[in-house]
């Protein structure tokens, strides 16, 4: 059984996987746009979303600067920020301006390992690994992150069993 944090983040990744398969980029993944319901986490805040190929360039940004990748927009980057924030209980890249946020990103990447930032528990190495895969230049896709062992107990129990197989086929 997945614990609450892993279940929430796997549901967010599932939503990203689904919209990315439809060539939609959310462009504003952040805690404010994750709604918790009785049935689980829902990704909201699609005001900035764009279809890949939309006339407005995808490198323009409407979302929050604290979740913006240094190279432009990326839902997976923002997901990595949210994942870390859930674990460390504070904003990963604080700042009031893009310059402040970029300075903080540089500080983190030059001097810190995600493993060192996390509270020590049995899931720390896996969370650090996922953060490293999401928060880098050559980041993973939402579907690759979703298939990380951290989010899977066994294929038969993950998100109710058959859905895992369906999602895996749909997202590849």
């Amino acid at each position: 059984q997945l614990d609450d944090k892993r279940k929430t983040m796997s549901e967010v990744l599932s939503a990203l996987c689904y919209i990315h398969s439809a060539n939609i980029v959310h462009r504003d993944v952040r805690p404010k746009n994750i709604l918790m319901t009785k049935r689980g986490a829902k990704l909201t805040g699609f005001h900035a979303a764009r279809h890949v190929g939309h006339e407005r360039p995808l490198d323009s940004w409407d979302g929050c600067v604290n979740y913006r990748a240094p190279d432009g927009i990326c839902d997976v980057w923002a997901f990595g920020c949210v994942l870390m924030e859930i674990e460390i209980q504070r904003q990963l890249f604080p700042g009031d301006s893009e310059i402040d946020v970029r300075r903080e990103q540089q500080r983190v990447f030059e001097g810190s390992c995600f493993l060192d930032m996390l509270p020590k528990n049995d899931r720390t190495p896996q969370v650090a690994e996922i953060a490293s895969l999401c928060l880098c230049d050559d980041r993973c896709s939402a579907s690759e992150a979703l298939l990380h062992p951290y989010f899977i107990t066994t294929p038969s129990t993950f998100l109710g069993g058959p859905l895992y197989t369906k999602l895996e086929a749909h997202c590849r």
Side-chain angles (χ1 to χ4, degrees):
Q1 186 79 18
L2 296 176
D3 63 42
D4 289 342
K5 289 178 184 178
R6 284 191 283 185
K7 184 175 185 298
T8 296
M9 295 313 290
S10 71
E11 290 168 347
V12 172
L13 271 176
S14 295
L16 288 174
C17 183
Y18 179 77
I19 66 170
H20 290 174
S21 72
N23 294 320
I24 304 287
V25 183
H26 187 279
R27 299 170 11 111
D28 196 17
V29 176
R30 57 183 164 153
K32 178 182 176 182
N33 290 331
I34 300 170
L35 177 66
M36 299 304 299
T37 71
K38 290 179 182 178
R39 297 184 60 192
K42 306 294 180 201
L43 188 59
T44 65
F46 282 85
H47 61 278
R50 297 285 180 270
H51 185 272
V52 177
H54 187 272
E55 66 275 358
R56 188 168 178 191
L58 287 176
D59 61 352
S60 66
W61 184 263
D62 295 326
C64 182
V65 67
N66 306 86
Y67 301 93
R68 188 181 318 157
D71 60 354
I73 63 157
C74 184
D75 291 346
V76 173
W77 173 279
F79 170 83
C81 292
V82 174
L83 175 69
M84 284 294 293
E85 290 174 8
I86 284 175
E87 294 294 331
I88 64 176
Q89 296 296 299
R90 63 176 175 79
Q91 197 167 47
L92 182 59
F93 301 120
D96 295 325
S97 70
E98 188 165 358
I99 292 171
D100 292 343
V101 171
R102 296 292 171 247
R103 189 177 302 124
E104 187 65 18
Q105 288 173 340
Q106 185 175 5
R107 186 192 66 75
V108 168
F109 290 121
E110 287 178 356
S112 298
C113 167
F114 291 118
L115 194 58
D116 296 336
M117 297 172 73
L118 292 164
K120 305 303 179 235
N121 57 48
D122 60 337
R123 68 177 173 258
T124 297
Q126 288 184 320
V127 171
E129 181 178 45
I130 295 166
S132 296
L133 293 169
C134 294
L135 297 168
C136 64
D137 291 333
D138 186 28
R139 58 191 74 91
C140 64
S141 68
S143 59
E144 290 166 336
L146 183 63
L147 295 174
H148 189 279
Y150 176 74
F151 296 112
I152 302 171
T153 53
T154 64
S156 63
T157 59
F158 176 65
L159 293 178
L163 184 54
Y164 169 81
T165 307
K166 184 177 180 180
L167 274 172
E168 183 179 31
H170 184 70
C171 292
R172 292 231 177 234

